[in-house]
Amino acid sequence: MSEHDARTLSPLVAAARGQVPDHRPVWFMRQAGRSLPEYREIRAGRGMLEACFDPELVCEITMQPVRRHGVDGAILFSDIVVPLKAAGVDLDIVAGVGPVIANPVRTHADVQALPVLTPEAVGAVSTAVKLLRAELGDTALIGFAGAPFTLASYLVEGGPSRNYENTKALMYSSPEVWHELVGKLADITIAFLKVQLDAGVDAIQLFDSWAGALSVTDYRTFARPHSARVFAELASYDVPRIHFGVGTGELLHDMGTAGADVVGVDWRIPLDEAARRVGPGKALQGNLDPALLFAPWEVVEGHVRRIAAEADAAVAAGAAGHIFNLGHGVLPTTDPTILTRVVELVHSL
Protein backbone atom coordinates (compact mmCIF):
# COMPACT_ATOMS: atom_id res chain seq x y z
CA MET A 1 0.00 0.00 0.00
CA SER A 2 1.41 3.41 -0.97
CA GLU A 3 1.79 6.22 1.54
CA HIS A 4 -1.09 8.08 -0.10
CA ASP A 5 -3.35 5.00 0.00
CA ALA A 6 -2.59 4.61 3.70
CA ARG A 7 -3.53 8.22 4.35
CA THR A 8 -6.82 7.89 2.48
CA LEU A 9 -7.86 5.47 5.22
CA SER A 10 -7.61 8.20 7.86
CA PRO A 11 -10.92 8.68 9.69
CA LEU A 12 -11.31 12.26 8.44
CA VAL A 13 -10.84 11.36 4.78
CA ALA A 14 -13.02 8.26 5.16
CA ALA A 15 -15.89 10.28 6.64
CA ALA A 16 -15.52 12.95 3.95
CA ARG A 17 -15.70 10.28 1.24
CA GLY A 18 -18.81 8.63 2.66
CA GLN A 19 -16.91 5.61 3.97
CA VAL A 20 -17.18 4.26 7.52
CA PRO A 21 -14.27 5.58 9.61
CA ASP A 22 -12.59 3.67 12.45
CA HIS A 23 -13.90 6.35 14.81
CA ARG A 24 -15.73 9.65 14.56
CA PRO A 25 -13.11 12.15 13.29
CA VAL A 26 -12.64 15.52 14.95
CA TRP A 27 -10.57 18.65 14.41
CA PHE A 28 -11.15 22.30 15.28
CA MET A 29 -11.00 25.42 13.19
CA ARG A 30 -8.32 27.73 14.67
CA GLN A 31 -6.97 24.79 16.70
CA ALA A 32 -3.43 26.07 16.04
CA GLY A 33 -3.48 29.47 17.68
CA ARG A 34 -3.80 31.66 20.71
CA SER A 35 -5.61 29.11 22.89
CA LEU A 36 -2.30 27.19 23.15
CA PRO A 37 0.44 28.52 25.44
CA GLU A 38 3.06 26.86 23.24
CA TYR A 39 1.71 28.87 20.29
CA ARG A 40 1.86 32.16 22.19
CA GLU A 41 5.42 31.37 23.21
CA ILE A 42 6.68 30.56 19.73
CA ARG A 43 4.87 33.51 18.14
CA ALA A 44 6.24 36.08 20.62
CA GLY A 45 7.78 38.93 18.64
CA ARG A 46 6.85 37.38 15.28
CA GLY A 47 4.27 39.04 13.04
CA MET A 48 1.47 36.90 11.66
CA LEU A 49 2.47 37.26 8.03
CA GLU A 50 6.13 36.74 8.85
CA ALA A 51 5.18 33.49 10.60
CA CYS A 52 3.07 32.31 7.64
CA PHE A 53 6.08 32.50 5.30
CA ASP A 54 8.48 30.59 7.60
CA PRO A 55 8.14 26.89 6.66
CA GLU A 56 9.68 25.49 9.85
CA LEU A 57 7.50 27.72 12.01
CA VAL A 58 4.39 26.84 10.00
CA CYS A 59 5.19 23.15 10.47
CA GLU A 60 5.70 23.49 14.22
CA ILE A 61 2.54 25.56 14.80
CA THR A 62 0.45 23.22 12.66
CA MET A 63 1.71 20.23 14.66
CA GLN A 64 1.05 21.71 18.12
CA PRO A 65 -2.67 20.84 18.39
CA VAL A 66 -2.06 17.39 16.88
CA ARG A 67 0.45 16.61 19.61
CA ARG A 68 -1.65 18.15 22.39
CA HIS A 69 -5.20 17.11 21.48
CA GLY A 70 -4.84 14.04 19.25
CA VAL A 71 -7.11 15.54 16.58
CA ASP A 72 -7.67 13.62 13.34
CA GLY A 73 -6.83 16.57 11.11
CA ALA A 74 -4.08 19.16 11.04
CA ILE A 75 -4.97 22.37 9.23
CA LEU A 76 -2.10 24.26 7.65
CA PHE A 77 -1.17 27.32 9.72
CA SER A 78 -1.77 30.22 7.37
CA ASP A 79 -4.26 33.03 6.72
CA ILE A 80 -6.71 33.63 3.90
CA VAL A 81 -4.85 36.80 2.85
CA VAL A 82 -1.47 35.01 2.48
CA PRO A 83 -1.89 34.48 -1.29
CA LEU A 84 -2.87 38.14 -1.72
CA LYS A 85 0.25 39.24 0.15
CA ALA A 86 2.39 36.82 -1.82
CA ALA A 87 0.96 38.12 -5.09
CA GLY A 88 1.92 41.68 -4.15
CA VAL A 89 -1.18 43.26 -2.59
CA ASP A 90 -0.17 45.86 0.01
CA LEU A 91 -1.73 44.56 3.22
CA ASP A 92 -0.95 43.70 6.82
CA ILE A 93 -2.60 41.65 9.55
CA VAL A 94 -3.09 44.01 12.48
CA ALA A 95 -3.38 42.46 15.93
CA GLY A 96 -6.89 42.86 17.29
CA VAL A 97 -8.24 44.03 13.92
CA GLY A 98 -7.41 41.51 11.21
CA PRO A 99 -6.31 42.05 7.62
CA VAL A 100 -6.00 45.70 6.64
CA ILE A 101 -5.65 46.63 2.95
CA ALA A 102 -3.59 49.75 2.23
CA ASN A 103 -5.45 50.62 -0.99
CA PRO A 104 -9.00 49.24 -1.13
CA VAL A 105 -10.20 47.94 -4.52
CA ARG A 106 -13.29 49.85 -5.63
CA THR A 107 -12.92 50.78 -9.32
CA HIS A 108 -12.32 48.99 -12.60
CA ALA A 109 -8.81 50.41 -12.66
CA ASP A 110 -8.18 48.98 -9.19
CA VAL A 111 -9.33 45.56 -10.36
CA GLN A 112 -7.16 45.66 -13.47
CA ALA A 113 -4.15 46.56 -11.34
CA LEU A 114 -4.48 43.43 -9.17
CA PRO A 115 -1.47 41.12 -9.48
CA VAL A 116 -1.55 37.41 -10.26
CA LEU A 117 -0.17 34.72 -7.98
CA THR A 118 2.71 32.58 -9.21
CA PRO A 119 3.46 29.26 -7.48
CA GLU A 120 6.98 30.48 -6.71
CA ALA A 121 5.58 33.31 -4.58
CA VAL A 122 4.17 30.77 -2.13
CA GLY A 123 7.08 28.35 -2.25
CA ALA A 124 7.38 28.64 1.53
CA VAL A 125 3.88 27.18 1.85
CA SER A 126 4.79 24.27 -0.41
CA THR A 127 7.89 23.61 1.69
CA ALA A 128 5.83 23.72 4.89
CA VAL A 129 3.36 21.14 3.52
CA LYS A 130 6.21 18.79 2.61
CA LEU A 131 7.72 19.17 6.10
CA LEU A 132 4.32 18.40 7.62
CA ARG A 133 3.78 15.34 5.47
CA ALA A 134 6.98 13.92 6.92
CA GLU A 135 5.78 14.65 10.49
CA LEU A 136 2.09 13.79 10.42
CA GLY A 137 2.05 10.12 9.51
CA ASP A 138 -1.57 9.03 9.06
CA THR A 139 -3.08 12.26 10.42
CA ALA A 140 -4.84 14.08 7.58
CA LEU A 141 -3.42 17.45 6.51
CA ILE A 142 -6.01 20.03 5.46
CA GLY A 143 -5.00 22.87 3.17
CA PHE A 144 -7.20 25.92 2.85
CA ALA A 145 -7.91 29.23 1.16
CA GLY A 146 -10.40 32.04 1.34
CA ALA A 147 -13.32 31.89 -1.09
CA PRO A 148 -13.42 34.58 -3.77
CA PHE A 149 -16.36 36.46 -2.22
CA THR A 150 -14.75 36.69 1.21
CA LEU A 151 -11.40 37.79 -0.24
CA ALA A 152 -13.24 40.40 -2.31
CA SER A 153 -15.03 41.73 0.76
CA TYR A 154 -11.68 42.33 2.49
CA LEU A 155 -10.22 44.04 -0.57
CA VAL A 156 -13.22 46.27 -1.18
CA GLU A 157 -13.85 47.21 2.45
CA GLY A 158 -10.16 47.60 3.23
CA GLY A 159 -10.49 45.25 6.21
CA PRO A 160 -13.13 43.50 8.33
CA SER A 161 -16.65 44.91 8.11
CA ARG A 162 -19.98 44.62 9.88
CA ASN A 163 -22.29 45.58 7.03
CA TYR A 164 -20.23 45.20 3.81
CA GLU A 165 -21.70 48.41 2.47
CA ASN A 166 -18.83 49.07 0.02
CA THR A 167 -18.84 45.46 -1.14
CA LYS A 168 -22.57 45.41 -1.78
CA ALA A 169 -22.50 48.84 -3.41
CA LEU A 170 -19.94 47.56 -5.91
CA MET A 171 -21.87 44.34 -6.49
CA TYR A 172 -25.13 46.12 -7.18
CA SER A 173 -23.87 49.18 -9.04
CA SER A 174 -21.11 47.62 -11.16
CA PRO A 175 -21.74 43.89 -11.52
CA GLU A 176 -19.32 43.59 -14.42
CA VAL A 177 -16.50 45.09 -12.32
CA TRP A 178 -17.50 42.85 -9.42
CA HIS A 179 -17.35 39.66 -11.50
CA GLU A 180 -13.98 40.65 -12.96
CA LEU A 181 -12.67 41.21 -9.42
CA VAL A 182 -14.02 37.96 -8.02
CA GLY A 183 -12.86 36.09 -11.11
CA LYS A 184 -9.31 37.32 -10.54
CA LEU A 185 -9.53 36.28 -6.91
CA ALA A 186 -10.76 32.84 -7.97
CA ASP A 187 -7.59 32.56 -10.09
CA ILE A 188 -5.46 33.41 -7.04
CA THR A 189 -7.36 30.95 -4.84
CA ILE A 190 -7.02 28.15 -7.39
CA ALA A 191 -3.28 28.78 -7.76
CA PHE A 192 -2.79 28.81 -3.97
CA LEU A 193 -4.73 25.59 -3.41
CA LYS A 194 -2.94 23.82 -6.28
CA VAL A 195 0.39 24.59 -4.62
CA GLN A 196 -0.87 22.97 -1.41
CA LEU A 197 -2.34 19.98 -3.25
CA ASP A 198 0.79 19.42 -5.32
CA ALA A 199 2.82 19.45 -2.10
CA GLY A 200 0.66 16.74 -0.53
CA VAL A 201 -2.36 17.98 1.48
CA ASP A 202 -5.08 15.35 1.97
CA ALA A 203 -8.10 17.68 1.85
CA ILE A 204 -8.83 21.34 1.27
CA GLN A 205 -11.27 23.73 2.92
CA LEU A 206 -12.62 26.83 1.21
CA PHE A 207 -13.57 29.44 3.80
CA ASP A 208 -16.37 31.69 2.57
CA SER A 209 -16.35 33.22 6.02
CA TRP A 210 -18.59 36.20 5.26
CA ALA A 211 -20.99 34.69 2.73
CA GLY A 212 -23.64 34.78 5.45
CA ALA A 213 -23.93 38.51 4.78
CA LEU A 214 -25.60 37.69 1.45
CA SER A 215 -29.19 36.83 0.60
CA VAL A 216 -29.77 33.54 -1.19
CA THR A 217 -30.34 35.39 -4.48
CA ASP A 218 -27.19 37.47 -4.11
CA TYR A 219 -25.14 34.42 -3.13
CA ARG A 220 -26.31 32.60 -6.25
CA THR A 221 -25.55 35.59 -8.45
CA PHE A 222 -22.40 37.12 -7.02
CA ALA A 223 -20.56 34.40 -5.06
CA ARG A 224 -21.46 30.80 -5.89
CA PRO A 225 -20.31 30.79 -9.55
CA HIS A 226 -16.79 31.76 -8.51
CA SER A 227 -16.57 29.26 -5.66
CA ALA A 228 -17.92 26.61 -8.02
CA ARG A 229 -15.08 27.34 -10.46
CA VAL A 230 -12.55 26.89 -7.65
CA PHE A 231 -13.98 23.49 -6.73
CA ALA A 232 -14.26 22.44 -10.39
CA GLU A 233 -10.63 23.34 -11.11
CA LEU A 234 -9.51 21.14 -8.19
CA ALA A 235 -11.71 18.12 -8.92
CA SER A 236 -8.94 16.24 -10.72
CA TYR A 237 -6.92 15.99 -7.50
CA ASP A 238 -9.56 13.64 -6.07
CA VAL A 239 -9.23 14.82 -2.47
CA PRO A 240 -12.12 15.84 -0.21
CA ARG A 241 -13.23 19.46 -0.68
CA ILE A 242 -14.85 21.20 2.31
CA HIS A 243 -16.90 24.41 2.12
CA PHE A 244 -17.59 26.54 5.19
CA GLY A 245 -19.11 29.91 6.04
CA VAL A 246 -20.51 31.65 9.11
CA GLY A 247 -24.20 32.50 9.40
CA THR A 248 -24.92 30.50 6.26
CA GLY A 249 -27.92 28.47 7.42
CA GLU A 250 -30.08 29.89 4.62
CA LEU A 251 -27.32 29.20 2.07
CA LEU A 252 -26.51 25.60 2.95
CA HIS A 253 -28.22 24.06 -0.05
CA ASP A 254 -26.59 26.46 -2.46
CA MET A 255 -23.18 26.09 -0.83
CA GLY A 256 -23.55 22.34 -1.27
CA THR A 257 -24.28 22.76 -4.98
CA ALA A 258 -21.06 24.76 -5.44
CA GLY A 259 -19.17 21.48 -5.68
CA ALA A 260 -17.80 20.58 -2.26
CA ASP A 261 -17.87 17.06 -0.85
CA VAL A 262 -18.31 18.29 2.74
CA VAL A 263 -20.43 21.23 3.89
CA GLY A 264 -19.38 22.92 7.11
CA VAL A 265 -22.22 23.99 9.37
CA ASP A 266 -22.04 26.73 12.00
CA TRP A 267 -23.65 26.32 15.41
CA ARG A 268 -26.99 27.94 14.52
CA ILE A 269 -28.48 24.99 12.61
CA PRO A 270 -28.78 21.43 13.99
CA LEU A 271 -26.92 18.93 11.81
CA ASP A 272 -30.02 16.87 11.02
CA GLU A 273 -31.75 20.03 9.76
CA ALA A 274 -28.58 21.00 7.88
CA ALA A 275 -28.66 17.61 6.15
CA ARG A 276 -32.21 18.27 5.01
CA ARG A 277 -31.19 21.66 3.59
CA VAL A 278 -27.99 20.46 1.94
CA GLY A 279 -29.58 17.34 0.47
CA PRO A 280 -28.30 13.75 0.41
CA GLY A 281 -24.84 12.67 -0.67
CA LYS A 282 -22.73 15.32 1.07
CA ALA A 283 -20.84 14.86 4.32
CA LEU A 284 -21.29 17.45 7.06
CA GLN A 285 -18.77 19.10 9.36
CA GLY A 286 -19.51 20.81 12.66
CA ASN A 287 -20.95 22.22 14.76
CA LEU A 288 -20.36 22.86 18.49
CA ASP A 289 -20.72 26.52 19.49
CA PRO A 290 -17.18 27.71 20.40
CA ALA A 291 -18.61 29.72 23.31
CA LEU A 292 -19.98 26.53 24.88
CA LEU A 293 -16.40 25.51 25.69
CA PHE A 294 -16.49 28.06 28.52
CA ALA A 295 -19.32 26.21 30.30
CA PRO A 296 -18.73 23.51 32.96
CA TRP A 297 -17.57 20.19 31.54
CA GLU A 298 -20.84 18.40 32.19
CA VAL A 299 -22.59 21.03 30.01
CA VAL A 300 -19.98 20.70 27.26
CA GLU A 301 -20.28 16.92 27.37
CA GLY A 302 -24.03 17.08 26.98
CA HIS A 303 -23.77 19.26 23.89
CA VAL A 304 -21.05 17.12 22.32
CA ARG A 305 -23.31 14.09 22.75
CA ARG A 306 -26.26 16.04 21.33
CA ILE A 307 -24.30 17.02 18.22
CA ALA A 308 -23.10 13.45 17.73
CA ALA A 309 -26.71 12.27 17.92
CA GLU A 310 -27.84 14.95 15.44
CA ALA A 311 -25.01 13.90 13.15
CA ASP A 312 -26.07 10.26 13.35
CA ALA A 313 -29.62 11.32 12.46
CA ALA A 314 -28.22 13.35 9.54
CA VAL A 315 -26.32 10.31 8.23
CA ALA A 316 -29.41 8.14 8.63
CA ALA A 317 -31.30 10.73 6.56
CA GLY A 318 -28.80 10.66 3.69
CA ALA A 319 -25.72 12.67 4.67
CA ALA A 320 -22.56 10.89 3.51
CA GLY A 321 -20.70 11.22 6.81
CA HIS A 322 -19.77 13.50 9.69
CA ILE A 323 -16.59 15.24 10.82
CA PHE A 324 -16.91 16.73 14.30
CA ASN A 325 -15.79 20.35 14.57
CA LEU A 326 -16.82 23.64 16.08
CA GLY A 327 -19.32 25.91 14.40
CA HIS A 328 -16.55 28.49 13.97
CA GLY A 329 -12.98 28.89 15.26
CA VAL A 330 -11.57 28.20 18.72
CA LEU A 331 -11.81 31.42 20.76
CA PRO A 332 -8.42 32.70 21.99
CA THR A 333 -9.18 32.39 25.72
CA THR A 334 -10.45 28.78 25.48
CA ASP A 335 -8.95 26.37 28.01
CA PRO A 336 -7.05 23.87 25.82
CA THR A 337 -7.62 21.04 28.28
CA ILE A 338 -11.33 21.23 27.42
CA LEU A 339 -10.51 20.74 23.73
CA THR A 340 -8.48 17.64 24.59
CA ARG A 341 -11.41 16.25 26.59
CA VAL A 342 -13.78 16.94 23.69
CA VAL A 343 -11.50 14.98 21.34
CA GLU A 344 -11.40 12.05 23.76
CA LEU A 345 -15.19 12.12 24.11
CA VAL A 346 -15.85 12.34 20.38
CA HIS A 347 -13.52 9.40 19.75
CA SER A 348 -15.51 7.36 22.27
CA LEU A 349 -18.90 8.01 20.66
Side-chain angles (χ1 to χ4, degrees):
M1 182 182 293
S2 71
E3 180 190 357
H4 184 268
D5 288 339
R7 295 207 310 271
T8 61
L9 298 178
S10 71
L12 187 148
V13 173
R17 290 190 183 282
Q19 300 167 357
V20 179
D22 293 340
H23 57 258
R24 193 186 303 265
V26 53
W27 68 280
F28 305 112
M29 289 178 281
R30 294 193 191 137
Q31 64 187 12
R34 287 174 290 171
S35 65
L36 300 182
E38 55 267 41
Y39 171 84
R40 295 193 297 270
E41 180 180 350
I42 202 170
R43 271 289 315 281
R46 304 288 295 272
M48 178 64 179
L49 284 170
E50 177 192 354
C52 290
F53 286 95
D54 181 330
E56 288 76 17
L57 190 57
V58 168
C59 180
E60 170 59 24
I61 292 172
T62 304
M63 289 298 302
Q64 286 177 346
V66 179
R67 295 191 201 108
R68 178 185 274 264
H69 303 312
V71 286
D72 297 288
I75 186 162
L76 182 72
F77 176 72
S78 188
D79 190 274
I80 64 171
V81 298
V82 160
L84 300 180
K85 180 71 173 181
V89 175
D90 187 358
L91 63 87
D92 195 11
I93 298 177
V94 178
V97 178
V100 175
I101 314 298
N103 302 297
V105 176
R106 293 176 185 168
T107 67
H108 189 222
D110 294 336
V111 173
Q112 290 186 309
L114 279 175
V116 298
L117 178 67
T118 63
E120 296 76 22
V122 283
V125 174
S126 176
T127 300
V129 171
K130 291 171 183 174
L131 291 172
L132 281 160
R133 272 275 51 98
E135 291 272 342
L136 279 167
D138 292 343
T139 301
L141 177 58
I142 305 162
F144 78 91
F149 169 78
T150 290
L151 292 179
S153 73
Y154 276 116
L155 284 178
V156 176
E157 299 295 338
S161 174
R162 276 186 184 274
N163 301 309
Y164 306 95
E165 54 265 42
N166 294 301
T167 302
K168 292 184 177 182
L170 179 62
M171 277 171 26
Y172 297 140
S173 64
S174 303
E176 67 290 341
V177 174
W178 170 262
H179 285 294
E180 183 176 346
L181 166 61
V182 189
K184 283 194 164 192
L185 293 172
D187 292 339
I188 288 174
T189 296
I190 291 163
F192 187 47
L193 287 171
K194 282 185 173 180
V195 164
Q196 297 174 55
L197 286 160
D198 287 338
V201 299
D202 300 298
I204 56 103
Q205 177 156 314
L206 192 66
F207 283 89
D208 212 351
S209 307
W210 311 133
L214 297 173
S215 69
V216 172
T217 300
D218 287 346
Y219 177 76
R220 291 172 180 169
T221 304
F222 296 111
R224 184 176 62 179
H226 303 281
S227 292
R229 183 161 73 86
V230 173
F231 286 126
E233 293 268 358
L234 304 176
S236 63
Y237 285 92
D238 194 30
V239 303
R241 296 160 295 171
I242 309 168
H243 203 10
F244 174 74
V246 184
T248 51
E250 299 303 321
L251 306 180
L252 286 174
H253 175 74
D254 292 282
M255 290 182 73
T257 62
D261 308 291
V262 183
V263 178
V265 183
D266 78 4
W267 68 92
R268 297 170 175 88
I269 303 290
L271 289 173
D272 47 352
E273 170 62 16
R276 189 186 68 78
R277 296 184 185 195
V278 171
K282 305 279 185 183
L284 300 179
Q285 179 174 277
N287 66 339
L288 183 70
D289 186 341
L292 265 170
L293 297 172
F294 294 84
W297 170 250
E298 57 271 21
V299 176
V300 176
E301 179 181 2
H303 283 279
V304 170
R305 291 181 181 277
R306 170 184 59 81
I307 287 167
E310 290 168 357
D312 291 344
V315 171
H322 176 238
I323 300 166
F324 196 101
N325 207 314
L326 302 181
H328 198 198
V330 176
L331 296 168
T333 53
T334 303
D335 178 355
T337 62
I338 297 296
L339 291 170
T340 304
R341 293 183 74 178
V342 169
V343 171
E344 293 168 350
L345 175 58
V346 171
H347 283 169
S348 75
L349 297 176

